[in-house]
Amino acid sequence: MSGQQQKGEIMDANFPAGAAIVFGGSGGIGRGVALEFAREGSDVALVYRSKRDVAEAVAAEIGATGRKVSLHQADVRERAQVQAAFSEAVAGHGRVHTVVWGAGPVVPQVAIADWTADMFRASMEIEAFGFNNAVHTALPHMRVSGGGSFVHLGSAGHDWWPKLDGLSVAPKACNEALIKGIAKEEGVHEIRANSILVGVIDAGQFQIGKAAGTFSPEWETAVKAMLPLKRWGTPKDIGQAAVFFASSRGNYITGQTISVGGGFGV
């Protein structure tokens, strides 16, 4: 048996041949998710919008695992750019077996009554319209490739509304509904769709808000008081859940959500 055959068999134990495409792969959580896919045996296509240097650093980490990695720039609000990035990923890897949706803006922490039209529009265009663009781009490819998986990174606020974080939660709720619809309508094509409800993760928006003083020590104390687990999560925690949904270990799971938030909302 050749080394290439052995590598293929190991990869098939977790994933089909091809790559997971991670939208938002240059973000703090997206980086962790991409790395977990690589560590578990999948090649990775990273999609970023503006942080080329960060994306290149993530790609270097993935490359160090021995997996193939590619970089693709796209503004997810533009379907043509999403299509171009996806086509490049397919050309480079042969197939995309999983779409991980982790793209999203850093949103201001404001009450619903204080949302401006521009705030809501910006959040919806990236989170909801962007995900819709990715879905409609990937579905034809997955249908002719024997199936695939969508993994949406949602919000633990879907279970229990978090004060002031509605600009993140509301658009993701739209995507939660779309995940159910994909599972219902596309299962006949062996296409699965699941969602991870992301709690406070020590990366990305949390670190930005902490540096800006938005998430104060008092805020942290108050939130941890609501958690059965008295600590923040890590990008690896989200990555492992995403890998489970996308891998052969989750091959009979679709239309489901799992909360990775330390018990937030319990």
Side-chain angles (χ1 to χ4, degrees):
M1 181 181 293
S2 70
Q4 184 62 36
Q5 287 175 313
Q6 289 176 336
K7 178 181 177 182
E9 288 183 3
I10 291 170
M11 186 170 180
D12 289 344
N14 275 333
F15 306 101
I21 187 168
V22 181
F23 287 90
S26 62
I29 295 176
R31 167 188 170 277
V33 171
L35 281 168
E36 289 309 301
F37 270 92
R39 289 166 179 156
E40 294 285 343
S42 175
D43 293 341
V44 179
L46 284 173
V47 182
Y48 69 98
R49 183 174 69 89
S50 59
K51 297 185 287 187
R52 175 81 187 186
D53 56 335
V54 178
E56 289 177 341
V58 178
E61 290 184 79
I62 292 171
T65 70
R67 302 311 315 180
K68 183 178 180 180
V69 59
S70 59
L71 292 178
H72 312 277
Q73 185 175 23
D75 183 333
V76 297
R77 295 171 294 187
E78 302 293 334
R79 184 171 294 191
Q81 293 189 33
V82 173
Q83 291 172 332
F86 193 89
S87 294
E88 291 170 1
V90 171
H93 299 276
R95 177 185 177 183
V96 168
H97 59 72
T98 297
V99 171
V100 177
W101 184 258
V106 175
V107 298
Q109 300 290 295
V110 294
I112 295 172
D114 296 325
W115 291 359
T116 66
D118 285 343
M119 284 178 185
F120 187 59
R121 183 177 295 108
S123 189
M124 287 296 293
E125 284 183 347
I126 296 174
E127 289 272 13
F129 281 79
F131 182 52
N132 185 58
N133 286 336
V135 168
H136 281 83
T137 296
L139 281 178
H141 171 75
M142 289 183 175
R143 283 180 171 185
V144 300
S145 299
S149 175
F150 290 91
V151 180
H152 170 246
L153 304 189
S155 171
H158 190 70
D159 284 338
W160 193 87
W161 186 266
K163 182 180 179 182
L164 305 181
D165 198 31
L167 284 169
S168 176
V169 178
K172 292 179 186 296
C174 174
N175 292 348
E176 298 295 345
L178 184 54
I179 284 289
K180 299 285 188 184
I182 295 167
K184 190 83 168 183
E185 296 182 10
E186 297 296 328
V188 67
H189 301 292
E190 281 299 320
I191 297 171
R192 300 183 297 108
N194 296 287
S195 189
I196 298 167
L197 304 184
V198 179
V200 179
I201 303 299
D202 194 6
Q205 178 159 318
F206 173 68
Q207 290 183 346
I208 293 171
K210 190 174 180 179
T214 303
F215 302 133
S216 65
E218 292 76 18
W219 180 92
E220 292 192 52
T221 298
V223 174
K224 283 183 177 178
M226 296 187 291
L227 300 181
L229 299 179
K230 307 300 181 182
R231 53 185 169 83
W232 304 136
T234 68
K236 182 175 182 178
D237 295 323
I238 305 303
Q240 280 293 303
V243 163
F244 171 73
F245 272 145
S247 74
S248 60
R249 300 194 295 272
N251 80 95
Y252 200 53
I253 299 172
T254 193
Q256 304 303 306
T257 60
I258 184 171
S259 181
V260 184
F264 183 77
V266 171

